[in-house]
Amino acid sequence: GVDLRRLKSLSPDAVPADGLAHLKEIEMIETDGMFLRATDRGRMVLNSVIDALSPDTGCVLFGFVLD
């Protein structure tokens, strides 16, 4: 998983809230407020999950685009 506090300290805009919410809704990731981890479903498409959270690429595969 990823320590969200550490990630946000390195780059405050690194993890867009709308992207997290959507990926949680479709059960690709789970968070406990401190850590973000891929679910079993998310691990099968982990490259796409990472792309979805990337501020440079966004994600069309899961039905949304991040700005």
Side-chain angles (χ1 to χ4, degrees):
V2 175
D3 183 333
L4 289 171
R5 297 167 298 173
R6 171 90 170 122
L7 185 59
K8 288 179 183 179
S9 75
L10 294 172
S11 178
D13 298 326
V15 183
D18 56 340
L20 285 179
H22 183 72
L23 290 172
K24 284 167 59 174
E25 182 180 313
I26 61 172
E27 300 177 355
M28 294 292 142
I29 62 168
E30 58 189 17
T31 64
D32 63 5
M34 295 178 10
F35 290 93
L36 173 133
R37 46 185 118 7
T39 62
D40 288 340
R41 289 180 65 192
R43 277 188 217 102
M44 292 190 301
V45 291
L46 189 55
N47 287 342
S48 295
V49 170
I50 292 167
D51 282 346
L53 294 172
S54 171
D56 294 331
T57 60
C59 181
V60 177
L61 176 64
F62 295 121
F64 69 100
V65 177
L66 301 175
D67 294 326

